[in-house]
Amino acid sequence: MSTHPDLPDTLVHFTGRPRGQSDEPPDFARGSAEERMVNILHSGVLRGAPDYWADAPVICFSEATEAARRVMLRDGGGKRGPYAPWGLGSVFPIIGSLVRL
């Protein structure tokens, strides 16, 4: 658990982040945020995809506070608009047990 007052103890993988006009998702991530969430729950798999800054597949998690997540859902994080209210949340020890560096 975080001992820093400004850091949350949870990570969130949003299934419906705002996309730019030329930012097409990979085939497995097409559909609505709700459809992607259902697909993840049915398959039990989070699939990564190459990002603009990486050649290897990545899976993105937000380490935003609860207040910041509310703003992301209401206003978004930039010019693209709000995030869809669908995602997977987890506490750090669970994620840490799945990640090997």
Side-chain angles (χ1 to χ4, degrees):
M1 290 183 55
S2 174
T3 58
H4 193 283
D6 294 332
L7 296 177
D9 292 329
T10 59
L11 296 173
V12 177
H13 172 73
F14 286 101
T15 61
R17 70 174 174 83
R19 294 188 175 273
Q21 288 182 348
S22 62
D23 185 12
E24 289 293 321
D27 288 341
F28 68 81
R30 300 214 186 266
S32 70
E34 180 181 7
E35 290 168 331
R36 289 192 295 274
M37 180 74 176
V38 168
N39 195 16
I40 291 167
L41 294 174
H42 279 286
S43 69
V45 176
L46 277 175
R47 291 179 175 85
D51 201 353
Y52 64 92
W53 52 268
D55 293 330
V58 298
I59 299 172
C60 296
F61 290 90
S62 172
E63 189 184 19
T65 62
E66 184 177 343
R69 288 191 302 268
R70 282 193 203 109
V71 171
M72 292 168 75
L73 294 170
R74 185 187 66 225
D75 304 328
K79 299 177 185 177
R80 295 183 185 177
Y83 282 66
W86 296 94
L88 298 169
S90 182
V91 294
F92 280 118
I94 293 171
I95 296 295
S97 69
L98 299 174
V99 175
R100 300 285 182 250
L101 300 177

